[in-house]
């Protein structure tokens, strides 16, 4: 195996360090008082396995697969099973508690009962999935309980060894971790034996435990299906099926503290700089191919109007003609509060931000209705809501601070906070794409955020506050005059420099604008389309474009909001809105209405026959 899997150079040996452990009994060889290595001591790497054996270790790790397809009915010999179980039994365990037991199931009738349990939970899960996700899930095989000759259940006894088990006292969950490590050992040993293993977790744990006659103090950790297979895939099936993709290892490794990403021995990763560097212009060849294909499709030239342009832009972004369908889609609603609320720029109290977040999470808002109609998932991000929010599924807790400061008094946030929010946004874009989404949609919630948006739009475009400021949720003349004055005062205080986008974001906020800018940049770097909602997204996109001008290749303007600043932002970005229905709600609603239009444009380019392929005569 190549040496990049080991990073000895990245962790230089300290000048003095204890002798590497040898295989002798330490009692016979008391440690010397001086821990320095003797001159004739072997090099620290001396204990490593010979190359071929090391390669085998890394190979089994790389080629271990969760297998669901292609099982053979051949029985698994008892001696092979015993070797794998012995490997599992050698796993590390907290305080050496060895909390696992293994239940080996081969009886067909029992497996049929268990398969029925899994099927019920599979159907329940499927019923809750949005559109494209549900279709993709339908195509996935998630269990092979009956296709495999042997099933093994790995359990955990969290009480084994009594109350003084080392380590478990502080962290009871370490008992479960230990059983999971036994699973990992078994899974690796199985691969070395040429056996496929599939892990099934579509069970109510207690229901399954009852079927297996488990005593109440034992938990089910894993249900594994084992058998010989026709072959092992080189990639996880969920990756080849487009369900999810692997995160690069450099995203997962941090030096010393969370956030300092980078692999040992390599330059630290600056996610924002990396994302900006990865954003490139659209692929001209793919765009030409798409435009030519549009002209050969069985329809009059140009008859799909703006949608033809959309399909050409999607091809340019993907670097392929036709572009992949932009589905599944996910809307991320970034929620935050604003210090400028104190200036009386809106009649809505600040707590409405948190209340609406609760509404999004309960599925009761317009964004939920439109997302359900369009088959998109809704994710809500607390990037700076003033209130503390309870953790619930669907909420990403990423609060930078409980609201920004009032930008008429000083900067809304620090540069560090602006960069942190940008980074959160781009990481969320990456995670949503890694989770299998092929279209991202921007959403926002933040009482007073049209005021911050107006200030940002003026700062980036040079627009007059009287022209860029709108009536937001609906305000009277006096409030409107105050709002324009607030924007003017902010601009006069901060003298924003559009060439310093982080400084502009820091001056006026909010956290949702900065995070949305990062989200848009993240999508563009992965060459995934991002549908922009209204004025808040427009202001954020201006910041993104100031950081990386080519970002607009990934941006599709979902709609034009009633807010006057939005049209200014879109024309500055050179984007044409797809829908113009007089909306001024935010949340991602306008962008979601455009989702089926963009998907239809992509599908037409992919599916519609050409004159030559369909044998249709062209116009003379
Ligand atoms: C805790 C856990 C539970 C899992 N449950 C299921 C499951 O219910 N159904 C399934 O098809 N795969 C399940 N898997 C397998 C994962 O989908 C699989 O490990 C992942 O796609 C990565 O692929 P790979 O194991 O081939 O690298 C599970 C894996 C783990 C670690």
């Amino acid at each position: 195996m190549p040496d990049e899997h080991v990073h000895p150079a990245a962790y230089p040996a300290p000048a003095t360090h204890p002798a590497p452990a040898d295989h002798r009994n330490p009692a016979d060889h008391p440690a010397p008082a001086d821990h320095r290595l003797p001159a004739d001591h072997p090099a620290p790497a001396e204990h490593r396995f010979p190359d071929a054996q090391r390669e085998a270790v890394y190979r089994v790790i790389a080629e271990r697969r969760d297998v669901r397809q292609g099982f053979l009915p051949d029985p698994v010999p008892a001696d092979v099973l015993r070797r794998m179980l012995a490997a599992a039994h050698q796993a590390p365990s907290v305080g050496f508690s060895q909390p696992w037991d293994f239940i080996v199931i081969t009886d067909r009738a029992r497996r049929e009962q268990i398969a029925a349990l899994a099927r019920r939970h599979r159907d329940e899960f499927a019923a809750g999935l949005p559109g494209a996700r549900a279709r993709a899930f339908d195509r996935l095989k998630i269990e092979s309980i009956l296709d495999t000759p042997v099933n093994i259940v790995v359990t955990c006894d969290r009480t084994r060894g009594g109350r003084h088990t080392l380590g478990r006292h502080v962290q009871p969950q370490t008992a479960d971790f230990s059983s999971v490590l036994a699973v990992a050992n078994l899974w690796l040993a199985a691969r070395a034996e040429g056996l496929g293993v599939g892990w099934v977790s579509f069970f109510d744990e207690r229901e399954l435990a009852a079927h297996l006659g488990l005593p109440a103090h034992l938990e089910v950790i894993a249900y594994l299906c084992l058998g010989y297979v026709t072959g092992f895939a080189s990639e996880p099936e969920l990756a080849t099926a487009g369900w999810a993709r692997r995160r690069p290892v450099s995203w997962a490794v941090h030096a010393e503290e969370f956030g300092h990403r980078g692999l040992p021995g390599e330059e630290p990763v600056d996610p924002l700089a990396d994302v900006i560097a990865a954003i490139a212009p659209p692929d001209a060849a793919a765009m030409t191919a798409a435009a030519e294909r549009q002209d050969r499709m069985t329809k009059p030239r140009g008859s799909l109007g703006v949608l033809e342009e959309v399909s050409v832009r999607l091809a340019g972004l993907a670097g392929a003609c036709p572009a992949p369908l932009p589905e599944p889609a996910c809307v991320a609603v970034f929620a935050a509060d604003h210090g400028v609320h104190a200036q009386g720029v809106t009649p809505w109290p600040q707590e409405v931000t948190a209340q609406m977040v609760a509404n999004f999470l309960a599925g009761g808002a317009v964004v939920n209705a439109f997302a359900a109609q369009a088959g998109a998932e809704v994710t809500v991000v607390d990037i700076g809501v003033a209130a503390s929010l309870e953790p619930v599924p669907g909420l990403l807790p990423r609060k930078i601070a409980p609201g920004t400061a009032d930008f008429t008094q000083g900067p809304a946030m620090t540069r560090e906070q602006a960069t942190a929010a940008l980074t959160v946004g781009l990481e969320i874009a990456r995670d949503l794409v890694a989770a299998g989404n092929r279209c991202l949609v921007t959403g926002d919630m933040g009482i007073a955020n049209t005021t911050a948006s107006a200030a940002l739009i003026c700062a980036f475009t040079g627009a007059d506050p009287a022209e860029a400021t709108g009536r937001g949720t609906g305000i009277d003349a006096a409030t409107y005059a105050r709002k324009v004055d607030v924007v003017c005062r902010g601009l006069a205080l901060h003298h924003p420099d559009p060439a310093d986008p982080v400084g502009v974001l820091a001056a006026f906020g909010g956290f949702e604008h900065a995070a949305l800018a990062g989200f848009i940049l993240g999508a563009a770097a992965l060459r995934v389309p991002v549908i922009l909602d209204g004025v808040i997204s427009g202001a954020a996109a201006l910041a993104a474009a100031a950081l990386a001008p080519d970002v607009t290749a990934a941006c599709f303007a979902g709609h034009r909001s009633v807010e006057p600043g939005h049209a200014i932002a879109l024309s500055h970005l050179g984007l044409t809105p797809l829908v113009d229905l007089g909306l001024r709600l935010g949340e991602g609603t306008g962008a979601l209405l455009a989702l089926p239009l963009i998907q239809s444009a992509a599908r037409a380019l992919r599916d519609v026959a050409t004159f030559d392929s369909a044998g249709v005569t062209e116009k003379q």
Side-chain angles (χ1 to χ4, degrees):
M1 205 67 192
D3 265 355
E4 66 232 34
H5 287 273
V6 232
H7 298 285
Y11 296 114
T16 61
H17 62 83
D22 64 17
H23 302 289
R24 298 166 302 179
N25 181 347
D28 301 338
H29 302 273
D34 180 354
H35 288 281
R36 261 170 303 186
L37 292 176
D40 62 346
H41 194 278
E46 197 66 9
H47 299 297
R48 73 179 174 191
F49 290 0
D51 287 355
Q53 292 179 10
R54 271 192 311 130
E55 266 178 45
V57 171
Y58 287 116
R59 180 177 167 208
V60 80
I61 291 168
E63 295 185 18
R64 180 211 51 79
R65 280 278 77 75
D66 183 80
V67 183
R68 308 174 184 83
Q69 325 264 2
F71 279 107
L72 299 167
D74 308 44
V76 183
D79 60 324
V80 176
L81 281 174
R82 282 198 303 271
R83 279 201 296 274
M84 288 185 319
L85 289 163
H89 193 62
Q90 287 170 62
S93 60
V94 63
F96 205 21
S97 58
Q98 305 165 74
W100 47 72
D101 282 277
F102 306 101
I103 300 169
V104 181
I105 303 170
T106 53
D107 180 61
R108 170 98 197 170
R110 185 183 294 279
R111 284 186 290 128
E112 272 170 5
Q113 287 173 358
I114 293 171
L117 295 183
R119 245 190 322 275
R120 213 179 67 227
H121 288 291
R122 182 203 159 101
D123 293 348
E124 271 172 32
F125 177 71
L129 287 173
R133 276 281 182 201
R135 287 194 294 279
F137 183 67
D138 228 27
R139 294 190 293 269
L140 290 178
K141 186 163 165 56
I142 51 117
E143 54 88 8
S144 312
I145 298 167
L146 296 175
D147 308 339
T148 49
V150 185
N151 296 178
I152 295 181
V153 181
V154 182
T155 64
C156 179
D157 179 350
R158 295 174 184 160
T159 64
R160 188 165 295 160
R163 66 192 304 189
H164 298 306
T165 297
L166 290 179
R168 198 181 63 199
H169 167 72
V170 190
Q171 295 203 30
Q173 69 275 29
T174 49
D176 292 20
F177 300 163
S178 306
S179 288
V180 173
L181 287 163
V183 176
N185 273 12
L186 190 148
W187 211 337
L188 292 167
R191 178 62 191 89
E193 297 283 357
L195 278 161
V197 173
W199 182 328
V200 187
S201 42
F202 279 76
F203 293 113
D204 173 305
E205 192 272 331
R206 279 296 92 188
E207 201 176 44
L208 179 59
H211 263 267
L212 300 169
L214 289 192
H217 65 285
L218 287 198
E219 305 281 327
V220 175
I221 295 295
Y223 193 99
L224 306 172
C225 306
L226 279 81
Y228 289 106
V229 288
T230 51
F232 286 90
S234 58
E235 282 293 315
E237 279 174 33
L238 293 187
T240 33
W243 184 268
R245 54 165 91 160
R246 194 181 297 286
R247 305 171 73 219
V249 63
S250 59
W251 296 3
V253 182
H254 308 247
E256 311 292 345
E257 268 183 30
F258 184 85
H260 301 167
R261 287 169 209 270
L263 288 173
E266 292 185 1
E267 287 297 305
V269 173
D270 176 346
L272 183 58
D274 277 9
V275 154
I276 290 171
I279 294 173
D283 182 308
M287 291 179 86
T288 308
E292 282 171 2
R293 184 170 163 75
Q294 280 288 355
D295 288 347
R296 285 188 287 113
M297 279 157 55
T298 47
K299 60 170 183 60
R301 276 186 185 200
S303 56
L304 288 180
V306 173
L307 295 190
E308 294 197 9
E309 245 171 74
V310 168
S311 76
V312 169
R313 294 188 59 219
L314 286 170
L317 178 65
C321 173
L325 294 186
E327 63 176 32
C330 181
V331 55
V333 185
F334 290 87
D337 278 305
H338 296 261
V340 75
H341 183 272
Q343 296 295 320
V345 288
T346 165
W348 295 87
Q350 192 165 59
E351 57 264 30
V352 171
T353 304
Q355 290 162 356
M356 282 307 293
V357 164
N359 195 16
F360 301 147
L361 292 164
V366 180
V367 66
N368 304 101
F370 285 8
Q373 183 59 35
E377 182 182 332
V378 180
T379 288
V380 185
V381 187
D382 172 8
I383 189 73
V385 178
S388 290
L389 304 179
E390 289 299 309
V392 281
L395 174 67
L396 301 182
R398 303 287 189 276
K399 203 190 294 285
I400 307 286
T404 51
D406 179 351
F407 71 67
T408 64
Q409 308 300 305
M413 53 178 122
T414 63
R415 288 185 77 91
E416 290 69 32
Q417 287 177 323
T419 307
L422 275 158
T423 308
V424 167
L426 70 88
E427 281 174 358
I428 288 174
R430 282 172 170 183
D431 288 348
L432 291 177
V433 172
N437 292 291
R438 294 293 168 268
C439 183
L440 300 184
V441 181
T442 68
D444 72 274
M445 178 66 218
I447 296 299
N449 67 6
T450 58
T451 307
S453 300
L456 289 167
I457 290 166
C458 293
F460 283 117
T461 68
D464 181 339
E467 283 167 20
T469 308
R471 288 171 185 272
T473 47
I475 49 180
D476 60 23
T479 311
Y480 178 68
R482 194 159 51 238
K483 189 170 172 181
V484 174
D485 178 56
V486 160
V487 175
C488 289
R489 283 194 280 133
L491 291 166
L493 179 67
H494 298 293
H495 301 293
D497 173 8
D500 173 22
V502 175
V504 176
L505 283 168
F508 302 108
F511 293 126
E512 75 272 48
H513 293 95
L516 278 164
F519 184 71
I520 295 165
L521 291 165
L526 293 169
R527 302 190 84 90
V528 166
V530 55
I531 312 183
L532 305 182
D533 191 39
V535 69
I536 286 80
S537 304
L542 288 171
L547 286 162
D550 286 322
V551 78
T552 50
C555 296
F556 292 80
H559 83 127
R560 177 172 36 214
S561 143
V562 169
E563 279 289 295
H566 191 211
I568 297 171
L570 290 183
S571 92
H572 196 82
L573 292 163
L575 297 174
T576 313
L578 288 167
V579 169
D580 191 353
L581 297 173
L583 305 186
R584 50 179 175 79
L585 174 59
E587 303 179 4
T589 49
L592 282 168
L593 291 176
L595 175 61
L597 302 182
I598 294 171
Q599 290 172 333
S600 302
R603 190 176 277 272
L605 185 69
R606 193 193 71 173
D607 291 357
V608 172
T610 55
F611 285 107
D612 27 332
S613 74
V616 176
T617 311
E618 279 195 70
K619 185 175 88 169
Q620 294 300 303

